[in-house]
Amino acid sequence: MPELRLDHLTIDYPARDRGPAYRAVGGVSLTVAPGEFVSVVGPSGCGKTSLLHAVAGLVPAAAGTVSFGGTPIRGPGPERAVVFQHASLLPWRTVLGNVAYGLELRRVPRREARARARAMVELVGLGDAASRYPHELSGGMQQRVNLARALAPEPAVLLMDEPFAALDAQTRDAMQAELLRIWAASRTSVLFVTHHIEEAVFLGDRVVVLSPGPGATVRECVPVPFDRPRDTALRRTPGFVALADHVWSTLAGARDRKAPHERANLETR
Amino acid sequence: MTAPPAVNGHTVHNGLKPGAIPGRARVSRRGGRIRRRGLWLGALGVAVTLAAWELCAAYGLVDQMLASRPSQILVAGRDYFTTGTGRRDLLVSGTEFLAGFGLALVVGLGFGLAVGWWRWLDQLTEPLVSFAYASPRIALVPLLVVWFGIGLGSKVAVVFISAVFPIVLSTRTGVRTADRALLTLARAFDANRRQIFRTVILPGAVPSIVTGVRLAIGVGLVGMVVGELIASSEGLGYTILYAGNTFQTPLMFVALFVVSGAGVLMTAAVRAAERRLDRWRPDGHA
C-alpha cells in the first residue's frame, strides 16, 4: 500500500485589503506509512486544521507538495476521507443514509451502498440506531456516524480533525478506545490532528509536534512505543505519563518560542 | 450519575450506549397532547368571539345593519350556496387563485433556485427584483386589466405578481444559507456541483421555501380579492364589494369568511405537508 507524504507543505491565506498573505503552515514535512496512526499536536491556532484540509485537497498548497503513493494530490480523492471536527451530518438523512452518503456521491449502486453502510453502522456500534435522525443522537453517537461515513468508501487514509474535541471527558475516553478498535478492524492509515496531548499519545504510533503559527513547522516527531491493543489503563502507567510529559514540554517550549538550550534547562529541572 | 441533559426537549444520552434513544416516544406523545390542546383552545377562542358578537348585536350594543351578527351570517351563507351565486363565485375565484398561484409557484421556485445558485444571475436581476418587490404592485391592477382583459387573465396576473415574490425571495434565501460545513463535507467527498445541489442545497432550502409558500398563500388571496374589487362581475371579491355597497352586510361577511377559510385551510395543508417532509427536524419548531 502506498504512503502519504507531505513535503515542505506551505499554506497561505490571502489577506484582506491587499496586505501580505497570512502563512498558516510554513513547510511541514512528514510521512504516514500504510496502516500507521500518526497524531499531530500543536498549540491552538497553529494551522492544524489547515494542514489537514490541505491533505484532504480542500485548501491549495502555496508551496511544497502532498503526495500519495508518489502521485501529487490536487484535490479531494477516493483514497482519502475526512472526519470533521463537527459531525456535519445531513440532518434530513437517517444514520444509515448519512453513512451511505459518501458511497452515493462516488456512484456506488444504491443497493450495494446500503449494504456497505449497514455493515459500517454495525461496526461503529450503531446497529440499533440506524433509522434515527441526527438530532436524536448524542454527540458521541454523531461522531460515530461521522467516522462510519468516512470509512464506508474504504479509504486508504483517514484524516481526522479533532473529532472528539466537543465531547465530554468520559465520552472522549470511550470514543478513543472505540476508534482504536475500529481502526484495527479497517487497517487504514490515520492522520489525527488534536490539541489534546494525552489523546495524541494514547492513539498514535508517532506524535508530530508542531510549532505555533503563523508559519507552523514540525518541532519534533516523537515515537510512541506502547504495544497494541492499548486500553484505557495504559494512561495511568508511568511510561505513558512520562511520554505525555515529554510531548507537553516540547509543545510548551514551542509555544514560548524558547531557544533550544533554554528548553533543555526546562526539561532537566 | 446525574440525569442526562435535555436538548430541545429531547433526553440526550452520552455516547456510551449506542442505539438507546430514551424519551423519544414520550416526547412525541407530549407533542401530540400539546397540539390537541391547541386545537381545543383555538376553537374556544373562536366560539367566545362569535358568542360575544351575537350577544352584542342581540342587545343592541352595536348596529346590526353595520355589524351584522353570526346567526344572520349563517342564514345568508346557506342562501348564498343554495339559491345564490356562491358555488359559481367559488369556482371563478378558485380558478383565478389556483392558476395564478400555480404559475407563481413554478416561476418563483425556478427563478429563486436559479438566482440562489448563480451569483451573476442574482447580481444581474437583484435591482429589478428589489424595485418590483418594493413597488405597490396592487396598484398595477388597472393596467393589468388593460393588458389581460376584464376576465380570468387579469386576475391570474394579479395573484401571480402578489404571490411570486415571497416564493422567489425565500427560495433564494434557502439556497444561500446552505450549511457551510455540509458544503465542505460534500466537497471532501469529491461531489460535483449537481450532486451538491441535489443532496445539500435543495433539501436544506425546503424549510425556507415552505415559509415563503405559506406567505404567498395569504398575499395571493389578497391579490385575488383586490383584482375582483377593481374589475369583475363575479367571484368572491366581487360579492364582497357588491354586498357591501348594497348593505347586505351578512352576505359580505359570508364571502369574506369563505376567502379567509380557504386561506386557513391551504396554510394548514402546507403545514401538514411540511410536517411530513420535515420529520428530521427537532420537534416544536412550528
Side-chain angles (χ1 to χ4, degrees):
Chain A
M1 261 216 309
E3 67 173 13
L4 178 75
R5 177 185 288 275
L6 281 61
D7 199 11
H8 295 95
L9 177 65
T10 302
I11 302 162
D12 288 347
Y13 287 105
R16 294 167 201 274
D17 307 329
R18 294 182 205 162
Y22 177 76
R23 175 147 295 182
V25 176
V28 166
S29 299
L30 63 92
T31 56
V32 182
E36 193 182 18
F37 198 125
V38 176
S39 306
V40 177
V41 286
S44 35
C46 80
K48 298 187 295 283
T49 295
S50 302
L51 182 79
L52 204 80
H53 281 198
V55 176
L58 294 169
V59 170
T65 53
V66 179
S67 61
F68 182 75
T71 317
I73 281 167
R74 293 217 172 73
E79 73 287 347
R80 286 156 290 144
V82 187
V83 179
F84 290 95
Q85 181 170 3
H86 303 290
S88 305
L89 304 179
L90 299 170
W92 45 84
R93 285 187 179 221
T94 61
V95 167
L96 194 65
N98 268 290
V99 175
Y101 184 57
L103 298 167
E104 283 174 31
L105 292 179
R106 298 250 151 82
R107 302 186 193 288
V108 173
R110 197 174 179 79
R111 185 183 294 254
E112 192 195 332
R114 289 272 142 172
R116 280 167 66 180
R118 166 62 68 178
M120 273 305 150
V121 169
E122 298 288 347
L123 177 65
V124 300
L126 286 177
D128 297 335
S131 58
R132 302 291 193 218
Y133 286 93
H135 78 266
E136 299 169 325
L137 307 178
S138 69
M141 291 163 85
Q142 292 188 0
Q143 285 301 0
R144 286 172 195 261
V145 180
N146 193 0
L147 180 61
R149 176 178 60 195
L151 283 171
E154 293 173 2
V157 186
L158 205 54
L159 307 171
M160 304 187 73
D161 182 14
E162 303 205 46
F164 308 143
L167 304 178
D168 62 87
Q170 263 181 304
T171 309
R172 181 178 199 140
D173 282 3
M175 286 301 293
Q176 288 167 5
E178 275 290 277
L179 173 61
L180 289 183
R181 176 183 69 78
I182 293 160
W183 169 64
S186 65
R187 298 312 303 179
T188 62
S189 329
V190 180
L191 187 62
F192 189 101
V193 156
T194 179
H195 66 265
H196 195 290
I197 293 161
E198 217 190 46
E199 179 171 83
V201 174
F202 180 70
L203 294 174
D205 293 319
R206 280 187 292 142
V207 176
V208 176
V209 182
L210 295 184
S211 66
T217 53
V218 175
R219 175 65 42 118
E220 194 177 331
C221 202
V222 183
V224 182
F226 309 117
D227 290 339
R228 295 183 190 274
R230 299 172 183 170
D231 69 56
T232 303
L234 173 67
R235 294 172 216 271
R236 290 183 288 277
T237 61
F240 183 91
V241 175
L243 193 60
D245 236 28
H246 171 69
V247 172
W248 187 89
S249 53
T250 310
L251 199 60
R255 183 160 44 222
D256 299 341
R257 289 179 176 279
K258 293 257 195 268
H261 65 276
E262 282 177 277
R263 204 152 33 87
N265 283 341
L266 201 77
E267 276 164 48
T268 49
R269 248 194 294 157
Chain B
M1 272 281 282
T2 50
V7 176
N8 288 336
H10 284 266
T11 315
V12 176
H13 242 247
N14 294 330
L16 298 175
K17 272 188 220 134
I21 317 281
R24 186 177 190 239
R26 197 187 64 225
V27 165
S28 57
R29 222 181 304 139
R30 201 187 67 193
R33 206 168 62 220
I34 289 176
R35 207 171 297 147
R36 269 195 306 282
R37 190 187 67 188
L39 284 177
W40 280 111
L41 283 178
L44 184 70
V46 171
V48 168
T49 307
L50 288 178
W53 186 0
E54 180 76 30
L55 288 173
C56 286
Y59 289 103
L61 291 174
V62 293
D63 187 346
Q64 276 192 38
M65 184 73 171
L66 299 177
S68 186
R69 56 195 284 191
S71 55
Q72 284 182 351
I73 294 170
L74 218 56
V75 174
R78 195 196 58 206
D79 294 345
Y80 181 53
F81 282 102
T82 49
T83 55
T85 57
R87 275 175 288 185
R88 172 78 192 151
D89 285 348
L90 203 57
L91 184 70
V92 168
S93 295
T95 308
E96 291 165 359
F97 178 80
L98 290 180
F101 192 79
L103 205 60
L105 204 58
V106 172
V107 173
L109 276 176
F111 188 69
L113 290 174
V115 293
W117 185 243
W118 287 297
R119 196 93 203 199
W120 64 268
L121 186 64
D122 187 44
Q123 288 168 335
L124 183 73
T125 56
E126 203 273 333
L128 296 170
V129 172
S130 296
F131 193 74
Y133 181 57
S135 71
R137 279 154 290 143
I138 217 82
L140 291 176
V141 172
L143 190 63
L144 292 175
V145 171
V146 175
W147 287 356
F148 298 104
I150 201 161
L152 181 66
S154 57
K155 261 66 93 196
V156 171
V158 187
V159 174
F160 175 77
I161 62 166
S162 305
V164 77
F165 284 92
I167 299 176
V168 168
L169 295 178
S170 65
T171 305
R172 179 174 67 175
T173 304
V175 173
R176 274 293 156 73
T177 52
D179 189 332
R180 297 274 138 209
L182 297 183
L183 293 175
T184 308
L185 164 79
R187 279 209 307 130
F189 275 121
D190 216 357
N192 60 36
R193 280 171 65 80
R194 234 184 90 169
Q195 288 175 319
I196 289 177
F197 185 80
R198 195 172 50 79
T199 62
V200 178
I201 304 277
L202 207 52
V206 165
S208 178
I209 291 172
V210 171
T211 305
V213 169
R214 268 177 9 202
L215 285 174
I217 290 173
V219 292
L221 284 173
V222 170
M224 174 197 87
V225 169
V226 172
E228 289 180 354
L229 289 181
I230 291 178
S232 187
S233 55
E234 52 186 352
L236 293 164
Y238 168 78
T239 299
I240 292 173
L241 181 73
Y242 165 80
N245 286 346
T246 53
F247 289 101
Q248 300 182 58
T249 315
L251 180 60
M252 195 195 92
F253 276 113
V254 169
L256 191 84
F257 287 166
V258 171
V259 175
S260 340
V264 170
L265 280 181
M266 283 188 283
T267 308
V270 171
R271 197 167 278 179
E274 181 186 24
R275 212 171 282 141
R276 280 187 75 98
L277 226 55
D278 275 6
R279 251 179 359 106
W280 52 270
R281 288 173 99 192
D283 283 354
H285 68 89

